[in-house]
Amino acid sequence: MRGRVATASPLRAQDIRRSLFRRVRDAKQRVWLATAYFVPSRKLRRVLADADRRGVDVRLLLPGAHTDHPGVRHAGRRFYEDLLRAGVRIFEYQPRFLHAKTVLCDDWVSIGSSNLDRWNLRWNLEANQEVEDAAFAQAAQSMFEEDFRQSVECGYEDWRRRPWYARWRERWWGRVDMWLESLGRRKAR
């Protein structure tokens, strides 16, 4: 199998991010992404929505209620509505804590330590194994499909009707996220 290790390190080379964006932009059939913490950058949200507009099957496998960082989950959920409106399918994993960090773009798979969110890609030392192989991609597809079956899919109309307290939590944790992001930018200067 063809493969390589992609890395990301604080404030330096962001090979994982570049590789992910390139693969999502080039995808023809599918972009399936599983991550334990989903606080995506504007650019990641845009490339996912663009892929969907091109007819690519874009799915996110994200944590359900079983998570070790509920605030991060709520901060990330504030992005669901725009992604759902764009056609991205979002599944929340139910049985237990989701700790997978996997991307499947056509026959390319990335598995590793990176949650592929702006925090991990900016501040953490991360490494992902990338493999381009149809048989390996088929195995990853089977894993995803089993996890999708054990998940609840978020629908756009249902999402818009969620209760006020869910919206409030998303706004609250979204503000905490933005505050932490601003602190991080100041520290980097």
Side-chain angles (χ1 to χ4, degrees):
M1 288 179 238
R2 290 184 39 189
R4 74 183 193 111
V5 174
T7 61
S9 58
L11 303 174
R12 288 200 197 119
Q14 297 297 314
D15 192 31
I16 293 173
R17 180 174 49 200
R18 280 192 304 272
S19 184
L20 170 68
F21 290 159
R22 182 172 48 86
R23 293 297 181 150
V24 172
R25 282 187 193 112
D26 293 345
K28 304 282 188 266
Q29 299 168 325
R30 68 178 164 222
V31 172
W32 293 357
L33 187 149
T35 187
Y37 310 112
F38 184 70
V39 184
S41 66
R42 179 177 289 128
K43 188 173 183 180
L44 179 56
R45 295 189 316 264
R46 188 173 52 242
V47 298
L48 291 171
D50 289 347
D52 186 82
R53 276 191 286 280
R54 291 192 322 269
V56 175
D57 177 12
V58 181
R59 300 183 195 186
L60 304 176
L61 179 64
L62 305 175
H66 301 289
T67 179
D68 60 343
H69 292 291
V72 174
R73 177 176 178 245
H74 295 304
R77 292 177 101 208
R78 75 186 194 271
F79 301 114
Y80 282 20
E81 188 167 337
D82 289 341
L83 289 166
L84 289 167
R85 187 181 319 115
V88 173
R89 295 177 69 189
I90 299 175
F91 296 81
E92 290 189 334
Y93 189 67
Q94 299 301 304
R96 62 195 151 279
F97 177 55
L98 172 74
H99 208 267
K101 299 157 179 95
T102 309
V103 180
L104 173 61
C105 293
D106 298 337
D107 286 340
W108 177 84
V109 180
S110 175
I111 299 174
S113 65
S114 178
N115 280 295
L116 303 169
D117 64 20
R118 67 176 186 243
W119 292 99
N120 266 223
L121 294 173
R122 184 178 205 178
W123 299 110
N124 297 348
L125 179 60
E126 304 287 355
N128 283 10
Q129 177 65 51
E130 298 177 352
V131 176
E132 189 159 12
D133 180 79
F136 192 80
Q138 181 60 47
Q141 177 181 332
S142 297
M143 177 194 73
F144 268 103
E145 288 170 342
E146 178 59 32
D147 289 343
F148 291 144
R149 280 191 287 277
Q150 297 181 54
S151 300
V152 171
E153 184 170 4
C154 299
Y156 178 69
E157 290 303 324
D158 290 335
W159 188 255
R160 288 180 44 88
R161 289 190 299 267
R162 70 196 183 285
W164 68 268
Y165 54 85
R167 294 171 191 267
W168 182 87
R169 275 193 311 243
E170 293 157 17
R171 277 194 299 275
W172 166 255
W173 287 107
R175 290 192 191 285
V176 170
D177 170 52
M178 289 185 296
W179 177 71
L180 291 171
E181 178 76 11
S182 71
L183 286 178
R185 274 190 240 114
R186 282 187 221 140
K187 184 179 177 182
R189 291 179 192 163

